[in-house]
Amino acid sequence: MKSYIFKSIFVCSIIAIMCIACSNDDDEPGQQVRLDNAEQLTFSQNGESAQNPAFSPDGKYILFTRFKNGYNEPPSELVKININTKEETVIIPAQNDVEHISVPGSSWINGKICWSSDIAGQSNEIYTANDDGTEIRQITNHPESAGYYIEPVFNPLDTSKIIFEFGSSDASPHQIALVELDKNNKVTILTNDSHFDDRLPNWSYDGRKILFQRASAGAENWQIHIAEIDFTGIDPTLKVVTKINQPSSPNTDNSWYYNNNYILSSTKYNSVMPNIFALPLNIGNPIRISNTNTNEDGAPSCSLDGKQIAFETHFGEDEEYPSEIWIIEIPNILK
């Protein structure tokens, strides 16, 4: 199948083919081939999996989650990597079977990071810390019977506001929630329609809108929705929820492009494998960012200056192989 590639994107990509991890071992991936100019940042060992990149405010580092036993397999730790030197620093170390999971987008703002963890011994809660791992704070505290809190991101202009995903089980519909640190860590559920499954929220870089992926309850027809949060009432509420114009294929792992005019998404739009595309909020076709027919590219995150996108990638479309963090220059058409 011929991939649909915009003329302005990666003119020299066809000659920039990278082959990785060729092996005859049945437990190892086959030949991985990239048709873009992406650069590999992490080189994990012993089956570890590097996932969920997020840029530092100055664009010099990337925060990511490293699962020690494979894709999404705890324990996990939070690590930052220097983009230029590739030097890694563990910020929140792994321990026992504890999950420490950060997400793409605005999880690192103004010297603070946020993530979810089950270190308290019950359900996943929301945590914050300085970006050197000091001053760890547990933000939420709720009974395990009420479900779990995951996928947190800051409002880029107000780190006292964190949106996150709330679920009682993987199979049941999830909801989007907000915790306000400046209001004694008050939690408000923003979506509560049992007909929908709402997941993976992310805040626009101007702090005005959120996005999340929505599917019909029990289905996998994920589509991107955006809304503003109204803080004028007693409890915050979502204003009109709007589905953006997008490909018919499911769209997952979504985050904002820095100018808030595009949404970065992992989708199969005219591609063999899920790759990274920029979906315009207004008129226009999706713009291809990454290009590979052997790997699933996901969890995209944009630098705050709009020059680079980091993402995770692993061989094949299933989650049986570990992932690594890659970075790619952004085409001029988005700027």
Side-chain angles (χ1 to χ4, degrees), residues 172-327:
S172 65
H174 288 205
Q175 300 166 311
I176 306 303
L178 169 78
V179 57
E180 298 178 272
L181 281 62
D182 57 346
K183 293 188 177 179
N184 198 29
N185 298 338
K186 175 185 175 183
V187 172
T188 303
I189 304 299
L190 297 175
T191 62
N192 57 7
D193 190 330
S194 61
H195 294 93
F196 297 118
D197 190 351
D198 298 329
R199 306 196 181 202
L200 297 175
N202 232 299
W203 229 304
S204 60
Y205 285 91
D206 60 6
R208 294 182 52 198
K209 296 180 179 180
I210 67 168
L211 66 77
F212 56 93
Q213 64 183 52
R214 167 172 283 182
S216 302
E220 294 289 333
N221 55 336
W222 299 108
Q223 296 285 280
I224 304 166
H225 291 68
I226 61 174
E228 292 186 20
I229 301 178
D230 185 355
F231 290 97
T232 59
I234 297 176
D235 295 320
T237 58
L238 287 188
K239 293 183 180 180
V240 178
V241 176
T242 304
K243 183 176 79 69
I244 73 165
N245 183 31
Q246 60 207 279
S248 58
S249 58
N251 296 271
T252 62
D253 289 359
N254 308 303
S255 64
W256 293 83
Y257 183 56
Y258 91 112
N259 64 9
N260 307 303
N261 293 327
Y262 297 87
I263 290 173
L264 304 176
S265 184
S266 176
T267 183
K268 274 188 174 181
Y269 177 71
N270 285 342
S271 59
V272 175
M273 299 290 292
N275 284 185
I276 307 302
F277 285 81
L279 311 180
L281 261 64
N282 299 312
I283 299 173
N285 294 317
I287 298 173
R288 189 170 197 153
I289 303 298
S290 70
N291 191 352
T292 173
N293 293 328
T294 61
N295 284 32
E296 178 176 5
D297 295 341
S301 190
C302 179
S303 61
L304 272 65
D305 62 5
K307 294 181 179 180
Q308 296 175 307
I309 291 172
F311 60 96
E312 66 180 53
T313 185
H314 62 80
F315 181 74
E317 200 170 348
D318 296 324
E319 297 180 353
E320 60 182 304
Y321 296 114
S323 178
E324 298 289 0
I325 306 299
W326 288 61
I327 192 168

Side-chain angles (χ1 to χ4, degrees), residues 61-103:
Y61 296 87
I62 285 177
L63 172 72
F64 66 94
T65 301
R66 173 167 281 145
F67 289 90
K68 306 298 284 185
N69 291 319
Y71 198 90
N72 284 346
E73 294 295 331
S76 54
E77 60 191 6
L78 303 187
V79 184
K80 70 176 181 181
I81 184 171
N82 185 303
I83 295 173
N84 290 326
T85 68
K86 308 300 189 293
E87 180 183 2
E88 294 185 4
T89 303
V90 175
I91 302 177
I92 307 295
Q95 48 191 300
N96 300 323
D97 288 327
V98 170
E99 294 181 342
H100 295 299
I101 305 176
S102 61
V103 295

Side-chain angles (χ1 to χ4, degrees), residues 110 128 137 139 153-163 178-186 203 231:
N110 295 337
T128 66
R137 294 180 57 201
I139 303 302
V153 285
F154 291 115
N155 182 321
L157 300 186
D158 183 358
T159 54
S160 72
K161 314 293 186 192
I162 297 175
I163 51 172
L178 169 78
V179 57
E180 298 178 272
L181 281 62
D182 57 346
K183 293 188 177 179
N184 198 29
N185 298 338
K186 175 185 175 183
W203 229 304
F231 290 97

Side-chain angles (χ1 to χ4, degrees), residues 31-83:
Q31 187 181 69
Q32 302 180 47
V33 179
R34 299 209 64 88
L35 303 174
D36 53 33
N37 64 346
E39 175 189 1
Q40 186 172 352
L41 285 183
T42 62
F43 294 85
S44 303
Q45 304 295 321
N46 303 317
E48 297 175 334
S49 185
Q51 301 173 217
N52 302 343
F55 281 88
S56 63
D58 62 9
K60 296 180 180 179
Y61 296 87
I62 285 177
L63 172 72
F64 66 94
T65 301
R66 173 167 281 145
F67 289 90
K68 306 298 284 185
N69 291 319
Y71 198 90
N72 284 346
E73 294 295 331
S76 54
E77 60 191 6
L78 303 187
V79 184
K80 70 176 181 181
I81 184 171
N82 185 303
I83 295 173

